[in-house]
Amino acid sequence: DESELLTVPDGWKEPAFTREDNPKGLLEESSFATLFPKYREAYLKESWPLVQKALSEHYINATLDLIEGSMTVTTTKKTFDPYAIIRARDLIKLLARSVPFEQAVRILQDDVACDIIKIGSLVRKKETFIKRRGRLLGPKGSTLKALELLTNCYIMVQGNTVSALGPFSGLKEVRKVVLDTMKNIHPIYNIKTLMIKRELSKDPELRTQSWERFLPKFKRKNLNKRKEPKKKNTKKEYTPFPPAQPESQIDKELASGEYFLKERQKKQKRVQEIKAKQADALKKRQEERNKAFIPPKEKPVVKTQKGN
């Protein structure tokens, strides 16, 4: 059956690369170097003999330069695995990023890979970045621990980078969760999805089917809506003609006929306007005072008929 030939059997592993696969060794010497921070110097100095011992099994030399603050790995004439130097490069990169040696040495295995995710430039504000990075860790590291159990990866959050170590399928999920967290999507949503996927993978009938109907769909809610301004500026219709010139005080007086009145008549008119305003104000004030003396409306008394 062709479908059986295309599927990988459970528990299948690729055979290890041995000396017989490449008996003549490598043609050229390769080397990689990386810098490490000052605070890692004491730990690296203490654990360097273990690093050299682990790399010597793959015939790779490792040198630690404390003056320059760098680590270097180089191939030798006995090195037969061409990919061993790449694993050694990843090993010193992980050690420089505060990953302990016990975890970092696992990169030398065939079925283990690593991924260093740079998160420093994904968020602009420093306060927001610290908050989202803390969200990835969770209370007392519980969120990170749950993610490690679901992906079978070791995750180390250090400064502006997240170092992950484990199988390829797990690293893919870790990268997605980390990037989504930096985009303000809470990691608990992705953890719930991973838990459902883990349960679905145990069922052999569902392996060939789509899991979309089982996975939860979370809608984004923008709670902090922008407040609308009290005064809204509405754009007027564009006209090529300039606006009409506003009327001056003299124009208004000419239109009302006040301009032709004498000074004494103008004064009398102003006094009459003032008296009219005062009378209106007094009337309103009196109405406000009289409101307190208006009796309330009484409810009509309903007479109840007594039964015989």
Side-chain angles (χ1 to χ4, degrees):
D1 191 7
E2 286 185 8
S3 61
E4 288 182 4
L5 293 171
L6 292 170
T7 55
V8 179
D10 293 334
W12 181 84
K13 278 189 177 182
E14 194 175 344
F17 195 85
T18 58
R19 170 72 74 178
E20 294 169 3
D21 297 319
N22 187 17
K24 293 183 180 180
L26 305 176
L27 187 66
E28 291 288 336
E29 187 183 283
S30 302
S31 65
F32 289 101
T34 186
L35 299 171
F36 60 86
K38 185 74 177 173
Y39 61 85
R40 289 290 288 168
E41 188 178 312
Y43 180 80
L44 290 171
K45 193 177 178 181
E46 188 182 341
S47 61
W48 198 249
L50 297 169
V51 176
Q52 285 180 321
K53 187 183 176 184
L55 291 174
S56 64
E57 293 175 6
H58 298 269
Y59 303 103
I60 289 172
N61 288 336
T63 52
L64 177 68
D65 193 341
L66 296 174
I67 297 164
E68 287 186 4
S70 66
M71 293 179 281
T72 313
V73 287
T74 53
T75 56
T76 60
K77 289 180 180 179
K78 289 183 180 180
T79 310
F80 61 88
D81 188 357
Y83 199 74
I85 187 67
I86 304 295
R87 291 204 182 95
R89 178 202 65 183
D90 291 341
L91 173 65
I92 58 173
K93 272 188 179 182
L94 292 168
L95 288 169
R97 281 175 169 78
S98 298
V99 177
F101 170 75
E102 291 78 13
Q103 293 291 340
V105 77
R106 288 171 52 212
I107 196 68
L108 299 173
Q109 298 171 16
D110 287 342
D111 56 344
V112 178
C114 75
D115 189 10
I116 295 162
I117 308 154
K118 292 179 181 178
I119 57 172
S121 60
L122 297 175
V123 184
R124 285 185 181 180
K125 290 184 180 178
K126 191 179 178 182
E127 294 81 11
T128 312
F129 170 73
I130 292 164
K131 191 188 285 184
R132 289 181 187 175
R133 189 180 63 180
R135 198 181 290 168
L136 184 66
L137 292 166
K140 297 180 181 178
S142 57
T143 308
L144 197 69
K145 190 70 182 171
L147 195 61
E148 284 181 351
L149 291 168
L150 287 166
T151 56
N152 297 323
C153 293
Y154 173 81
I155 305 164
M156 181 76 185
V157 181
Q158 176 73 11
N160 294 333
T161 57
V162 177
S163 305
L165 186 78
F168 289 99
S169 58
L171 292 175
K172 188 180 176 183
E173 297 292 344
V174 169
R175 177 171 273 275
K176 184 182 180 296
V177 174
V178 170
L179 294 178
D180 281 354
T181 306
M182 289 294 125
K183 289 175 186 174
N184 203 20
I185 298 168
H186 203 282
I188 195 68
Y189 298 132
N190 286 311
I191 286 169
K192 279 185 179 179
T193 308
L194 287 171
M195 288 171 74
I196 293 164
K197 281 182 179 178
R198 194 177 192 180
E199 291 299 317
L200 291 169
S201 63
K202 292 176 183 177
D203 193 348
E205 292 179 4
L206 294 169
R207 282 191 178 184
T208 55
Q209 296 178 18
S210 177
W211 294 350
E212 285 295 322
R213 63 182 190 275
F214 301 110
L215 300 177
K217 292 176 183 177
F218 302 103
K219 290 181 181 179
R220 292 186 73 177
K221 291 180 181 179
N222 190 9
L223 298 174
N224 297 329
K225 287 185 178 178
R226 183 175 170 271
K227 290 180 181 178
E228 292 183 359
K230 289 180 180 179
K231 291 180 181 179
K232 288 186 178 180
N233 296 326
T234 54
K235 285 188 177 180
K236 295 176 182 178
E237 288 184 14
Y238 172 74
T239 53
F241 306 105
Q245 195 172 357
E247 289 185 345
S248 64
Q249 190 66 29
I250 295 167
D251 292 335
K252 289 174 183 176
E253 286 179 1
L254 283 167
S256 62
E258 194 181 339
Y259 183 79
F260 303 104
L261 296 173
K262 291 178 182 178
E263 194 65 34
R264 183 170 52 81
Q265 289 173 329
K266 286 180 182 179
K267 276 186 179 179
Q268 282 179 358
K269 193 178 180 183
R270 285 194 211 106
V271 169
Q272 284 174 3
E273 285 175 357
I274 291 164
K275 282 182 178 179
K277 282 182 180 177
Q278 286 176 350
D280 287 341
L282 187 67
K283 191 179 178 182
K284 285 180 181 177
R285 214 178 297 125
Q286 199 67 37
E287 284 176 0
E288 287 292 327
R289 285 174 183 169
N290 291 338
K291 277 182 183 178
F293 300 103
I294 296 168
K297 289 182 181 180
E298 294 182 2
K299 292 179 181 180
V301 180
V302 179
K303 293 182 179 181
T304 54
Q305 292 180 356
K306 292 181 180 181
N308 293 328

